[in-house]
Amino acid sequence: MAGTALVVGASGIVGAATASLLVEQGWTVHGLARRPVEQEGVLPVAADLLDAGATAEALENVRPDAVFVSTWLRQSSEAENIRVNAAMVRNLLDGLRKGGSVRHVALVTGLKHYLGPFEAYGKGTLPQTPFREEQGRLDIDNFYYAQEDEVFAAAERDGFSWSVHRPHTVIGKAVGNAMNMGTTLATYATICRETGRPFVFPGSAAQWNGLTDMTDARMLARHLVWAATTDAARNEAFNVVNGDVFRWSWMWRRIADWFGVEAQEFDGTVRPLEVQMAQDGPVWRGIAEREGLAELDLSRLASPWHTDADLGRPIEVVTDMSKSRRLGFLDYQSTDDAFFDLFTRLRQDRIIP
């Protein structure tokens, strides 16, 4: 049943997809961001979640039934990630408390719940794959855990239900996003085509040869709304992925074919995109100016560091979704089509030529 929603991080990959779905389903949608962008059917709310007073003031007349939290700020250390991102969630929920309208809060985290934070990513003793929700937390500091604890404490205090959603790498459209593999690969392939460079896989042998999965932002949006409107899904944590598995040795060629570039066979050497693309800003600007593209600044489109982190992992990463399936969420999305749909949108919106 449609109600009133607040999407936090509405200009990001997940938030934009969630806001769009909610509008389509007839919800009244407020979209919160530090600098809101125009979104059809979305009522903008400008707030810096690190400022508790300003956040409360911005939310004074917002009365959501459901809150969808899909935002974070990257910091220089995990201790700072914890301090800053926990405060953002706490200030948000404190700001909404006076209104007394919130019935459900859905928090988006991710597979770093199982893999550890960036400082210790994929290292040490990790749970067995496929990752399952009952495997619980690692014995290490992690800002995802801190965000969860803020939601749990506020839910206990204020009487709303919650859900936690753990996607794998998310495929979707947003400009200026810190974790954006799809657009990163699209700009990288475009630059390879422009310069005649081969399309070189930047990651590890484990990722090239092993099984993996991903999450389309539209799939995640459907999962978020499902959990917020399904009694059996309340007060539960869920993995959420597309439902297929693949090897990057196959997907890399699929992406190369879409862009008409040569996929170089992986030879066992890790060649990070941060190195490969380090000098590509002027190349991209030249392409963008010539083709009349919407964004001249490559750094607002590509996040090589994040793509390197995902594709450089030393272990196979596969995610189990049985918990959601048992409770009735049966949606499926093929991952190669998710990439192709994104690339088509980027081309239509003049992000890539």
Side-chain angles (χ1 to χ4, degrees):
M1 175 181 290
T4 300
L6 173 64
V7 179
V8 183
S11 59
I13 292 175
V14 177
T18 303
S20 178
L21 176 63
L22 289 164
V23 169
E24 181 183 315
Q25 293 186 352
W27 290 66
T28 298
V29 181
H30 301 268
L32 186 150
R34 280 177 296 167
R35 291 178 294 276
V37 298
E38 185 176 346
Q39 297 169 272
E40 186 175 355
V42 178
L43 303 169
V45 179
D48 178 356
L49 293 179
L50 287 175
D51 186 329
T55 297
E57 183 177 351
L59 295 172
E60 187 173 1
N61 297 314
V62 179
R63 298 289 184 270
D65 305 299
V67 181
F68 302 90
V69 184
S70 61
T71 189
W72 74 292
L73 284 176
R74 187 188 183 198
Q75 304 299 309
S76 59
S77 68
E78 193 60 20
E80 277 299 289
N81 275 333
I82 290 168
R83 184 186 68 81
V84 168
N85 290 286
M88 289 168 62
V89 175
R90 182 169 59 253
N91 292 341
L92 168 72
L93 298 178
D94 285 351
L96 289 167
R97 187 181 188 191
K98 182 179 178 181
S101 64
V102 178
R103 294 184 297 176
H104 186 84
V105 173
L107 173 69
V108 179
T109 62
L111 293 197
K112 287 190 290 297
H113 181 93
Y114 308 106
L115 288 162
F118 287 118
E119 289 181 1
Y121 198 48
K123 300 175 183 176
T125 302
L126 299 174
Q128 185 180 32
T129 57
F131 294 137
R132 292 181 169 86
E133 294 92 345
E134 63 267 22
Q135 288 168 323
R137 295 180 175 184
L138 301 174
D139 186 20
I140 189 171
D141 290 338
N142 190 323
F143 83 86
Y144 282 171
Y145 306 160
Q147 287 182 310
E148 287 182 346
D149 288 343
E150 293 294 342
V151 172
F152 300 158
E156 179 70 20
R157 178 191 71 197
D158 297 337
F160 56 76
S161 61
W162 55 266
S163 56
V164 175
H165 304 256
R166 300 170 186 155
H168 197 165
T169 304
V170 178
I171 303 169
K173 179 179 177 288
V175 174
N177 191 271
M179 299 191 297
N180 194 339
M181 181 188 286
T183 305
T184 298
L185 294 182
T187 56
Y188 173 55
T190 300
I191 290 167
C192 287
R193 187 176 61 206
E194 174 78 8
T195 61
R197 285 155 41 187
F199 190 55
V200 177
F201 183 71
S204 67
Q207 293 303 304
W208 181 258
N209 296 312
L211 292 173
T212 193
D213 47 30
M214 292 184 73
T215 308
D216 188 304
R218 299 166 299 181
M219 169 72 77
L220 178 52
R222 294 195 296 272
H223 195 264
L224 286 161
V225 177
W226 166 78
T229 56
T230 301
D231 287 343
R234 291 176 181 167
N235 302 330
E236 297 285 352
F238 296 101
N239 297 329
V240 50
V241 287
N242 288 334
D244 62 350
V245 294
F246 63 91
R247 302 180 199 277
W248 273 105
S249 57
W250 175 79
M251 185 67 76
W252 198 251
R253 298 184 186 100
R254 293 280 287 160
I255 293 172
D257 288 346
W258 198 93
F259 283 96
V261 295
E262 176 191 353
Q264 181 169 303
E265 191 67 23
F266 180 64
D267 64 3
T269 303
V270 177
R271 295 181 172 87
L273 285 181
E274 275 203 299
V275 176
Q276 292 193 55
M277 300 181 71
Q279 307 302 319
D280 283 341
V283 177
W284 180 260
R285 180 172 290 273
I287 296 169
E289 288 176 344
R290 185 188 71 221
E291 302 291 337
L293 302 183
E295 180 56 63
L296 304 181
D297 185 352
L298 180 61
S299 69
R300 284 183 46 76
L301 299 176
S303 51
W305 70 273
H306 175 256
T307 299
D308 287 340
D310 275 9
L311 297 185
R313 290 178 298 211
I315 61 169
E316 180 177 273
V317 178
V318 185
T319 315
D320 181 75
M321 258 193 83
S322 298
K323 187 176 184 180
S324 294
R325 305 301 188 210
R326 291 190 187 101
L327 294 178
F329 184 82
L330 305 177
D331 289 24
Y332 167 85
Q333 169 67 56
S334 64
T335 301
D336 53 342
D337 284 342
F339 272 122
F340 301 157
D341 288 351
L342 170 64
F343 300 155
T344 299
R345 281 192 65 198
L346 293 175
R347 185 167 282 173
Q348 290 172 343
D349 293 344
R350 305 301 300 159
I351 302 296
I352 63 173

